[in-house]
Amino acid sequence: MIELPNTEDNVKLVQDFIYETRKRIADGTDITFTKKAKDELDELMLEYDITEEDIEYTILNLTPENYYRGIDPSGEADFNVCAFRALVGKDKVEIYLKYGLEEEGLQILVFSNHIPDFEMNQPFKN
């Protein structure tokens, strides 16, 4: 995934991605998890008691400061995908959270939600 440089236009691009996510959720769109993301969530649930509701709450509270990488088209070019460094659950566990917004529809699809394998920089964090 690409890392957008910290410019006013790029911060707005990420903010628009976040706003569109919130709008879809407010309009009743459910968050869907890929098999991989569901398996990762199962691990988070076992180790940290993190639920789908915790992931949704985290997504709803993202800001451009959480931005890590993206916004890229998915492999099929049917989703715009963005990755964030986020703190989730009551213990504020750091996770790598990558999800996409369907280009020609309303779906919100989580591709990854796991403990990061490496340190994640946040290029828009002040």
Side-chain angles (χ1 to χ4, degrees):
M1 294 184 83
I2 62 165
E3 179 182 312
L4 297 174
N6 187 350
T7 66
E8 192 174 307
D9 287 343
N10 287 338
V11 171
K12 183 181 180 328
L13 184 67
V14 171
Q15 185 64 65
D16 289 348
F17 183 88
I18 292 168
Y19 283 156
E20 177 62 23
T21 303
R22 289 179 186 157
K23 180 184 178 309
R24 290 182 188 193
I25 292 171
D27 289 346
T29 300
D30 290 327
I31 297 171
T32 306
F33 292 76
T34 63
K35 166 115 176 64
K36 175 184 172 291
K38 184 67 175 148
D39 291 345
E40 292 168 349
L41 181 59
D42 288 345
E43 287 182 33
L44 290 173
M45 194 176 298
L46 286 173
E47 289 187 42
Y48 304 103
D49 199 28
I50 292 171
T51 65
E52 285 186 28
E53 289 79 20
D54 292 322
I55 298 297
E56 180 174 333
Y57 178 84
T58 300
I59 288 172
L60 284 169
N61 288 283
L62 290 172
T63 70
E65 286 192 352
N66 296 107
Y67 172 79
Y68 173 61
R69 295 253 194 282
I71 300 170
D72 297 348
S74 62
E76 302 287 322
D78 50 349
F79 285 85
N80 288 317
V81 181
C82 198
F84 299 89
R85 177 187 176 268
L87 303 177
V88 64
K90 66 179 185 277
D91 294 330
K92 303 293 182 206
V93 176
E94 178 186 11
I95 65 168
Y96 171 85
L97 176 61
K98 181 171 79 171
Y99 73 92
L101 298 177
E102 191 172 25
E103 185 70 33
E104 298 294 328
L106 298 175
Q107 187 176 11
I108 302 166
L109 183 60
V110 175
F111 293 97
S112 293
N113 55 171
H114 59 82
I115 304 296
D117 298 327
F118 46 83
E119 188 175 330
M120 298 174 65
N121 66 325
Q122 294 171 268
F124 299 169
K125 189 169 185 169
N126 296 332

